Amino acid sequence: MDMEIDDPATGTSSSRLAPMEEVKPTVKQIKRIAAHSHVKGLGIDPETCEALPEAAGFVGQIAARTAASIIVDMIRGKSMAGRAVLLAGPPATGKTAIALAMSHDLGDGVPFVPLVASEVYSSEVKKTEVLMRSFRRAIGLRVKETKDVYEGEVTELSPVETSDNSGLGKTISHLLLSLKTAKGSKQLKLDPSIYDSVLKQRVEVGDVIYIEANSGIVKRVGRCDVYASEFDLEADEFVPMPKGDVRKSKDIVQNVSLHDLDLANARPQGRQGDVTNIVSQLMAPKKTEVTDRLRSEINKVVDEYIESGVAELMPGVLFIDEVHMLDVECFTYLYRALESPMAPVVVFATNRGKTTVRGLDDKSAHGIPPEMLDRLMIIPTMKYNEEDVRKILIHRTEAENVKFDEKAFDYLSRVGSEKSLRYALQLIAPARLCAQTCGRELIEMEDVEKCTTLFMDRSESLKKAEETQQRLAAKKA
Ligand SMILES: Nc1ncnc2c1ncn2[C@@H]1O[C@H](COP(=O)(O)OP(=O)(O)OP(=O)(O)O)[C@@H](O)[C@H]1O
């Protein structure tokens, strides 16, 4: 049977929001999160509801993790409205890691949005607009849709070429793709644009995929488990061969944020690969696209989706680091935003004690106005002991897949507890490079020692700066 899929974006369940397939989840600050890739959750004992000394990649910081898990329970019980969390403690005591672990524990696909408070200051976008966008990024929506799809194991994948008249070579006229299920098989003749998605997802013969019938979107589900014993592909996910017909209705779940919906509905839509559409998007003034009116329209439609059971709201975690950098205007905005029924959990972090509130002359704890402090559940984080530092470094070296010999690792742990954990963590990558330059994968003592002479830690650099200042002052005198 033949099928031409050449017309993306033709109708979905809603005529009022942009079709779901055009809503691309935005991924932000991958690097920052990668620093915590060893952290998989808060590591709570389900029986005692207390944090385990070492679990889910987390080490120590037991009281703070236990407190954070109580907050997670409060969020699930919807009793955090109007309140926020503050993680207060010295640098590198796991404040970001705890906030991220809270979003893990809240469930799969729950958004985690990290923001450094100083990011709100931009000459192009208003402070409150930056905060509003971050709020909406941190509110997830799980949309369930029933779609018409072709699903099965790929048994044939052949692009058919044709020579064009320009004499420049061959182009792909269509793609022949055969899909097999336990019940039958079908050969599809597909538009060349779908071949691009097939290549991007590295679809091969033996993979299970589905293609959405009305949009042509291709999704690789995994490798068919018939091949499970043939290759040792540990990293691949094996899935059973689909039962039933190749063409069928399938329930598809997609996670998007309210910000994704804002963007998808603000930008002009068009056919994929349509040059005029790309040009018009380039010309469109991006900053003014998402208006308050558009947002409230989207909220209305989202409310309807939730009421009708098509979508489920997943409030995520908005993590605002260096909270003392926010000013009074931002805090005033936040009081109101926290009261909204569609608010994420806001987790602030700071390593400051008493300091001036920006925009006011008064000093206050952590540079936060007293009105906001009253709304906060404050969790302190403590400095780590030598053993904890060692264990955290073990988790990090495993996550980064680097190998130290015993002496070198002992030395790195000592550096971590005497100077700082963050300094020791930062030495891992350059030490690996030093070892590789010498033709080794194993990091030895000399590599770590070399890096400690090449790179200074924070206190050493501060000492150097102070010495220079004193020398200059003495010269002047
Ligand atoms: N208890 C812990 N268990 C495992 N890893 C940890 C723990 N605490 C910190 N880390 C890791 O140490 C690094 C620094 O921690 P993190 O960035 O969370 O500290 P922070 O308190 O947010 O620092 P800052 O105040 O400088 O922003 C990260 O890679 C983090 O995953």
Side-chain angles (χ1 to χ4, degrees):
M1 185 206 145
D2 277 3
M3 167 190 150
E4 285 280 351
I5 299 179
D6 59 1
D7 187 22
T10 45
T12 55
S13 61
S14 161
S15 53
R16 295 173 63 190
L17 280 192
M20 266 305 148
E21 51 267 29
E22 286 172 1
V23 181
K24 299 210 171 47
T26 44
V27 183
K28 222 199 142 203
Q29 303 195 4
I30 293 164
K31 255 194 187 161
R32 206 181 148 86
I33 295 173
H36 309 281
S37 50
H38 60 292
V39 174
K40 308 280 182 252
L42 287 167
I44 303 294
D45 182 337
E47 278 181 13
T48 60
C49 296
E50 294 246 336
L52 292 160
E54 199 177 340
F58 245 119
V59 176
Q61 214 62 270
I62 292 179
R65 283 160 55 208
T66 307
S69 89
I70 293 176
I71 304 274
V72 169
D73 288 341
M74 287 172 68
I75 298 164
R76 287 204 192 104
K78 305 209 182 328
S79 42
M80 273 300 283
R83 287 191 264 199
V85 180
L86 172 67
L87 292 164
T93 49
K95 299 184 290 293
T96 315
I98 289 176
L100 178 64
M102 285 170 73
S103 72
H104 277 306
D105 283 9
L106 279 169
D108 265 358
V110 169
F112 174 74
V113 178
L115 178 79
V116 179
S118 45
E119 283 178 57
V120 303
Y121 303 107
S122 140
S123 55
E124 294 175 352
V125 187
K126 275 202 310 190
K127 291 176 274 191
T128 49
E129 173 64 22
V130 177
L131 286 172
M132 164 79 90
R133 278 184 204 171
S134 306
F135 255 67
R136 292 180 73 80
R137 267 198 190 103
I139 304 168
L141 200 66
R142 178 169 293 156
V143 188
K144 283 168 264 158
E145 284 188 290
T146 306
K147 287 191 174 168
D148 201 9
V149 298
Y150 291 84
E151 187 179 43
E153 180 205 328
V154 179
T155 52
E156 180 198 7
L157 187 66
S158 354
V160 178
E161 291 182 337
T162 172
S163 30
D164 57 10
N165 297 332
S166 67
L168 289 174
K170 290 182 172 177
T171 54
I172 289 171
S173 69
H174 61 270
L175 172 70
L176 281 180
L177 185 119
S178 299
L179 292 177
K180 187 172 128 192
T181 66
K183 200 172 167 190
S185 61
K186 250 186 188 28
Q187 191 188 49
L188 309 173
K189 186 180 169 196
L190 303 172
D191 187 86
S193 65
I194 295 176
Y195 187 46
D196 291 342
S197 329
V198 166
L199 287 180
K200 264 189 211 141
Q201 303 210 31
R202 297 170 190 211
V203 174
E204 289 174 15
V205 169
D207 290 347
V208 174
I209 65 165
Y210 68 77
I211 306 173
E212 290 178 19
N214 66 353
S215 67
I217 287 180
V218 180
K219 177 97 173 63
R220 182 179 182 274
V221 184
R223 186 112 188 117
C224 189
D225 61 8
V226 177
Y227 297 85
S229 53
E230 205 172 302
F231 307 106
D232 186 19
L233 289 175
E234 275 177 48
D236 217 336
E237 194 182 332
F238 289 102
V239 292
M241 180 184 287
K243 298 184 188 98
D245 292 324
V246 171
R247 184 168 188 164
K248 61 182 173 198
S249 292
K250 186 180 168 75
D251 285 339
I252 293 172
V253 175
Q254 199 184 344
N255 293 332
V256 288
S257 71
L258 292 189
H259 179 70
D260 298 329
L261 290 179
D262 293 346
L263 290 186
N265 287 279
R267 298 233 164 100
Q269 305 292 328
R271 290 162 56 105
Q272 259 175 336
D274 182 338
V275 177
T276 50
N277 181 46
I278 295 170
V279 174
S280 69
Q281 286 200 15
L282 286 177
M283 313 270 283
K286 282 185 186 159
K287 273 164 269 155
T288 52
E289 280 172 348
V290 180
T291 58
D292 284 347
R293 202 166 145 211
L294 175 83
R295 283 187 178 127
S296 65
E297 279 297 309
I298 287 176
N299 287 355
K300 264 192 231 155
V301 179
V302 166
D303 277 342
E304 283 170 23
Y305 274 16
I306 294 168
E307 265 171 40
S308 61
V310 173
E312 193 189 328
L313 203 64
M314 296 189 301
V317 174
L318 169 60
F319 177 72
I320 307 184
D321 207 356
E322 295 178 17
V323 60
H324 58 273
M325 291 299 293
L326 293 182
D327 65 10
V328 181
E329 211 183 314
C330 295
F331 284 115
T332 313
Y333 170 83
L334 287 171
Y335 303 143
R336 244 187 322 119
L338 284 173
E339 300 286 347
S340 142
M342 273 198 203
V345 185
V346 179
V347 179
F348 298 113
T350 181
N351 47 36
R352 295 293 168 104
K354 202 165 179 180
T355 182
T356 313
V357 181
R358 278 179 80 121
L360 287 180
D361 290 335
D362 314 339
K363 283 198 170 191
S364 177
H366 316 296
I368 302 174
E371 299 77 23
M372 181 53 105
L373 279 170
D374 283 346
R375 291 170 161 83
L376 297 180
M377 312 273 295
I378 305 176
I379 304 176
T381 55
M382 308 296 170
K383 279 200 106 167
Y384 295 113
N385 60 30
E386 206 178 323
E387 204 192 321
D388 286 346
V389 168
R390 194 182 168 84
K391 285 183 184 161
I392 293 172
L393 285 170
I394 292 177
H395 281 286
R396 268 325 289 171
T397 49
E398 278 169 5
E400 290 183 35
N401 199 16
V402 288
K403 296 221 157 26
F404 280 82
D405 84 357
E406 213 180 308
K407 258 171 115 188
F409 190 74
D410 286 346
Y411 181 55
L412 185 77
S413 312
R414 234 179 15 254
V415 169
S417 55
E418 284 169 11
K419 296 196 167 174
S420 78
L421 170 63
R422 177 142 291 141
Y423 179 55
L425 288 168
Q426 272 164 358
L427 291 182
I428 297 176
R432 190 217 311 243
L433 278 179
C434 287
Q436 282 171 343
T437 320
C438 302
R440 285 181 276 109
E441 271 310 313
L442 188 73
I443 300 170
E444 293 179 0
M445 184 75 170
E446 61 180 273
D447 306 315
V448 186
E449 272 178 343
K450 187 173 174 191
C451 290
T452 54
T453 57
L454 290 175
F455 304 102
M456 282 190 275
D457 76 304
R458 197 162 78 157
S459 57
E460 208 180 329
S461 113
L462 187 70
K463 209 170 111 197
K464 281 252 158 55
E466 278 169 356
E467 279 171 8
T468 318
Q469 227 173 13
Q470 278 166 7
R471 237 181 303 129
L472 286 174
K475 245 189 194 173
K476 263 191 192 166

